[in-house]
Amino acid sequence: MFKTNFLGLELDNPIIIAAGPWNRDGEGLKRSIAAGAGAVVTESIVSDTLLDVRPRIACDENGAQNIRLYSDIQIEGWEREMSIAKSKGGVVIASVSAHTPSELVYLASKLEKFGADAIEISVSNPMGEGLEVVASNADIVYEMTKEVVAAVKLPVMVKLSQNTTNISKVAKAVKAAGGSCVSAINAVRGILGVDIETAQPTLSTYGGISGEYIRPLGLASVATISQTVDIPICGIGGISSGRHAIEYMMMGASAVQVGTTVMLEGREAVGKIISEMEEWCKSHSIASVEEIRGKALENLKSFDEMKIEPAVSTVKSVPCTENCDKCTVACMYGAIKREADTVVADSNKCSGCGLCTFICPAKKLKLEW
């Protein structure tokens, strides 16, 4: 059911384990492949490695902040690591990052020689300013992509940042330069939190926020790219269930990458995501993920296309959740009132904002036209 042709590569499924410290070397990549992933992406490889700061990863119930920069293995060392990673088969995508096209060409060419199946160019870094400027500059991304595409015979994917003013323009530049695909999005620059007793940030510098926090941003970026440029997309950001993967595919993604969930829940999470996708597809008589790719885009409008329609909240016959007044408290228009053990909605006061339909745990309220 989930056999996927992605970047011209035959994958057993469209779930890819993303670049990160869990894929820092050949053994890590081999374990990720053994976990059932359709493909794996190396931790981002650079020309000059840096020592890690400590601590560098923090998390809470909604995601993580990470200030690890790149692979700590020199490029020449990746000949051995790639050999280990591919010793039992599997598709390995090499992530590379650099500030200049020539440096990217050097890294990509080396990794092609070492046996990588594809290249992912990472054009952003939430920990520093330099590459974030690159991520917003379509002309520079074009030059970087064009040079790498000309230098290697492998498919080239470019990982885009949400920290940009026009992600569509950057995606168009990737296509114009001959890129095979875009992946979106990278972790988003942020601060996870502050201990107000000590005035200490969770980590002592800006870092990449990932996980649940960024899924809405990832979905919006994938949808925007899908609607404006005809190029394959790999969705990234906050995927921890089969439902999340399907959401990305309905927004136009051909495959998805999972990272933070693997870090927090282990590689076993990949099998869970695949099983949940299979179960959903079977229950909906879906024979292939291609049947759902882009399906939600049919229902996605620009703001200018939205119509002002006379929608009002109505009350269904299901019982209220015990001791719950969420809808009456949240209604900004005073349209919902409690009467005994139920609630009523005043259609003359309701403006159809829709908040009550989401906040009600019993799903008792519904918008009707």
mmCIF file of all heavy atoms in Angstrom, residues 60-64 209-217 237-240 244 260-261 264:
data_model
loop_
_atom_site.group_PDB
_atom_site.id
_atom_site.type_symbol
_atom_site.label_atom_id
_atom_site.label_comp_id
_atom_site.label_asym_id
_atom_site.label_seq_id
_atom_site.Cartn_x
_atom_site.Cartn_y
_atom_site.Cartn_z
ATOM 1 N N ASP A 60 9.618 19.948 26.349
ATOM 2 C CA ASP A 60 8.451 19.925 27.223
ATOM 3 C C ASP A 60 7.391 19.075 26.549
ATOM 4 O O ASP A 60 7.693 18.338 25.609
ATOM 5 C CB ASP A 60 7.950 21.347 27.541
ATOM 6 C CG ASP A 60 7.507 22.118 26.306
ATOM 7 O OD1 ASP A 60 7.272 21.499 25.235
ATOM 8 O OD2 ASP A 60 7.360 23.348 26.396
ATOM 9 N N GLU A 61 6.157 19.140 27.006
ATOM 10 C CA GLU A 61 5.119 18.246 26.478
ATOM 11 C C GLU A 61 4.734 18.553 25.027
ATOM 12 O O GLU A 61 4.083 17.747 24.374
ATOM 13 C CB GLU A 61 3.859 18.306 27.357
ATOM 14 C CG GLU A 61 3.137 19.645 27.371
ATOM 15 C CD GLU A 61 3.722 20.648 28.355
ATOM 16 O OE1 GLU A 61 4.798 20.361 28.934
ATOM 17 O OE2 GLU A 61 3.114 21.714 28.538
ATOM 18 N N ASN A 62 5.139 19.697 24.489
ATOM 19 C CA ASN A 62 4.734 20.076 23.133
ATOM 20 C C ASN A 62 5.859 20.075 22.100
ATOM 21 O O ASN A 62 5.603 20.302 20.925
ATOM 22 C CB ASN A 62 4.085 21.466 23.146
ATOM 23 C CG ASN A 62 2.774 21.463 23.894
ATOM 24 O OD1 ASN A 62 1.951 20.581 23.704
ATOM 25 N ND2 ASN A 62 2.568 22.443 24.754
ATOM 26 N N GLY A 63 7.093 19.852 22.525
ATOM 27 C CA GLY A 63 8.173 19.875 21.542
ATOM 28 C C GLY A 63 9.524 20.053 22.193
ATOM 29 O O GLY A 63 9.700 19.782 23.386
ATOM 30 N N ALA A 64 10.469 20.525 21.408
ATOM 31 C CA ALA A 64 11.846 20.614 21.889
ATOM 32 C C ALA A 64 12.537 21.855 21.354
ATOM 33 O O ALA A 64 12.110 22.451 20.361
ATOM 34 C CB ALA A 64 12.623 19.365 21.459
ATOM 35 N N ILE A 209 13.201 25.361 17.428
ATOM 36 C CA ILE A 209 12.010 24.802 18.057
ATOM 37 C C ILE A 209 11.386 23.797 17.087
ATOM 38 O O ILE A 209 11.200 24.090 15.903
ATOM 39 C CB ILE A 209 10.987 25.895 18.399
ATOM 40 C CG1 ILE A 209 11.610 26.934 19.346
ATOM 41 C CG2 ILE A 209 9.734 25.280 19.018
ATOM 42 C CD1 ILE A 209 12.000 26.408 20.702
ATOM 43 N N SER A 210 11.069 22.615 17.607
ATOM 44 C CA SER A 210 10.485 21.573 16.764
ATOM 45 C C SER A 210 9.383 20.869 17.530
ATOM 46 O O SER A 210 9.129 21.152 18.697
ATOM 47 C CB SER A 210 11.574 20.571 16.348
ATOM 48 O OG SER A 210 12.149 19.957 17.493
ATOM 49 N N GLY A 211 8.719 19.927 16.860
ATOM 50 C CA GLY A 211 7.647 19.183 17.499
ATOM 51 C C GLY A 211 6.287 19.825 17.289
ATOM 52 O O GLY A 211 6.053 20.560 16.329
ATOM 53 N N GLU A 212 5.385 19.533 18.218
ATOM 54 C CA GLU A 212 3.988 19.984 18.115
ATOM 55 C C GLU A 212 3.873 21.482 17.837
ATOM 56 O O GLU A 212 2.991 21.931 17.106
ATOM 57 C CB GLU A 212 3.258 19.640 19.412
ATOM 58 C CG GLU A 212 1.771 19.925 19.419
ATOM 59 C CD GLU A 212 0.950 18.856 18.735
ATOM 60 O OE1 GLU A 212 1.484 17.759 18.496
ATOM 61 O OE2 GLU A 212 -0.229 19.134 18.437
ATOM 62 N N TYR A 213 4.784 22.255 18.414
ATOM 63 C CA TYR A 213 4.737 23.708 18.257
ATOM 64 C C TYR A 213 4.698 24.145 16.796
ATOM 65 O O TYR A 213 4.077 25.155 16.453
ATOM 66 C CB TYR A 213 5.969 24.350 18.914
ATOM 67 C CG TYR A 213 5.956 24.355 20.410
ATOM 68 C CD1 TYR A 213 6.857 23.572 21.126
ATOM 69 C CD2 TYR A 213 5.063 25.146 21.124
ATOM 70 C CE1 TYR A 213 6.863 23.581 22.516
ATOM 71 C CE2 TYR A 213 5.068 25.159 22.514
ATOM 72 C CZ TYR A 213 5.965 24.372 23.204
ATOM 73 O OH TYR A 213 5.963 24.386 24.569
ATOM 74 N N ILE A 214 5.405 23.445 15.919
ATOM 75 C CA ILE A 214 5.587 23.962 14.561
ATOM 76 C C ILE A 214 4.744 23.253 13.507
ATOM 77 O O ILE A 214 4.826 23.620 12.327
ATOM 78 C CB ILE A 214 7.071 23.941 14.145
ATOM 79 C CG1 ILE A 214 7.582 22.515 13.888
ATOM 80 C CG2 ILE A 214 7.932 24.650 15.181
ATOM 81 C CD1 ILE A 214 8.931 22.471 13.187
ATOM 82 N N ARG A 215 3.926 22.251 13.895
ATOM 83 C CA ARG A 215 3.145 21.563 12.864
ATOM 84 C C ARG A 215 2.229 22.517 12.084
ATOM 85 O O ARG A 215 2.140 22.421 10.855
ATOM 86 C CB ARG A 215 2.360 20.390 13.439
ATOM 87 C CG ARG A 215 1.744 19.520 12.339
ATOM 88 C CD ARG A 215 1.144 18.212 12.837
ATOM 89 N NE ARG A 215 -0.011 18.419 13.678
ATOM 90 C CZ ARG A 215 -0.037 18.296 15.004
ATOM 91 N NH1 ARG A 215 1.067 17.952 15.645
ATOM 92 N NH2 ARG A 215 -1.126 18.518 15.699
ATOM 93 N N PRO A 216 1.502 23.439 12.743
ATOM 94 C CA PRO A 216 0.686 24.375 11.962
ATOM 95 C C PRO A 216 1.498 25.181 10.945
ATOM 96 O O PRO A 216 1.022 25.465 9.844
ATOM 97 C CB PRO A 216 0.067 25.282 13.029
ATOM 98 C CG PRO A 216 0.045 24.440 14.262
ATOM 99 C CD PRO A 216 1.314 23.631 14.196
ATOM 100 N N LEU A 217 2.735 25.540 11.319
ATOM 101 C CA LEU A 217 3.593 26.286 10.398
ATOM 102 C C LEU A 217 4.037 25.394 9.242
ATOM 103 O O LEU A 217 4.087 25.833 8.086
ATOM 104 C CB LEU A 217 4.824 26.818 11.141
ATOM 105 C CG LEU A 217 4.561 27.690 12.373
ATOM 106 C CD1 LEU A 217 5.877 28.104 13.018
ATOM 107 C CD2 LEU A 217 3.741 28.905 12.004
ATOM 108 N N GLY A 237 7.666 18.624 10.407
ATOM 109 C CA GLY A 237 7.277 19.489 11.517
ATOM 110 C C GLY A 237 6.161 18.916 12.360
ATOM 111 O O GLY A 237 5.007 18.925 11.947
ATOM 112 N N GLY A 238 6.497 18.382 13.538
ATOM 113 C CA GLY A 238 5.488 17.983 14.505
ATOM 114 C C GLY A 238 4.719 16.722 14.167
ATOM 115 O O GLY A 238 3.583 16.556 14.616
ATOM 116 N N ILE A 239 5.317 15.813 13.428
ATOM 117 C CA ILE A 239 4.613 14.587 13.046
ATOM 118 C C ILE A 239 4.884 13.503 14.094
ATOM 119 O O ILE A 239 6.015 13.044 14.243
ATOM 120 C CB ILE A 239 5.052 14.105 11.649
ATOM 121 C CG1 ILE A 239 4.696 15.163 10.604
ATOM 122 C CG2 ILE A 239 4.415 12.768 11.305
ATOM 123 C CD1 ILE A 239 5.328 14.933 9.251
ATOM 124 N N SER A 240 3.836 13.112 14.818
ATOM 125 C CA SER A 240 3.993 12.084 15.841
ATOM 126 C C SER A 240 2.945 10.985 15.717
ATOM 127 O O SER A 240 2.892 10.092 16.555
ATOM 128 C CB SER A 240 3.909 12.711 17.243
ATOM 129 O OG SER A 240 2.643 13.317 17.455
ATOM 130 N N HIS A 244 -1.112 12.803 11.623
ATOM 131 C CA HIS A 244 -0.298 13.973 11.259
ATOM 132 C C HIS A 244 0.335 13.788 9.878
ATOM 133 O O HIS A 244 0.381 14.727 9.073
ATOM 134 C CB HIS A 244 0.807 14.200 12.299
ATOM 135 C CG HIS A 244 0.286 14.529 13.654
ATOM 136 N ND1 HIS A 244 1.031 14.324 14.796
ATOM 137 C CD2 HIS A 244 -0.899 15.043 14.057
ATOM 138 C CE1 HIS A 244 0.325 14.716 15.844
ATOM 139 N NE2 HIS A 244 -0.849 15.145 15.420
ATOM 140 N N THR A 260 11.725 14.943 15.855
ATOM 141 C CA THR A 260 11.572 15.136 17.293
ATOM 142 C C THR A 260 10.877 13.952 17.956
ATOM 143 O O THR A 260 11.243 13.544 19.068
ATOM 144 C CB THR A 260 10.794 16.437 17.571
ATOM 145 O OG1 THR A 260 11.518 17.539 17.004
ATOM 146 C CG2 THR A 260 10.621 16.680 19.057
ATOM 147 N N THR A 261 9.897 13.359 17.294
ATOM 148 C CA THR A 261 9.204 12.199 17.855
ATOM 149 C C THR A 261 10.156 11.023 18.027
ATOM 150 O O THR A 261 10.095 10.288 19.018
ATOM 151 C CB THR A 261 8.016 11.805 16.958
ATOM 152 O OG1 THR A 261 7.063 12.876 16.974
ATOM 153 C CG2 THR A 261 7.339 10.538 17.446
ATOM 154 N N LEU A 264 12.291 11.780 21.117
ATOM 155 C CA LEU A 264 11.611 11.709 22.404
ATOM 156 C C LEU A 264 10.972 10.354 22.687
ATOM 157 O O LEU A 264 10.836 9.953 23.848
ATOM 158 C CB LEU A 264 10.542 12.814 22.491
ATOM 159 C CG LEU A 264 11.048 14.254 22.388
ATOM 160 C CD1 LEU A 264 9.894 15.220 22.485
ATOM 161 C CD2 LEU A 264 12.093 14.550 23.455
#
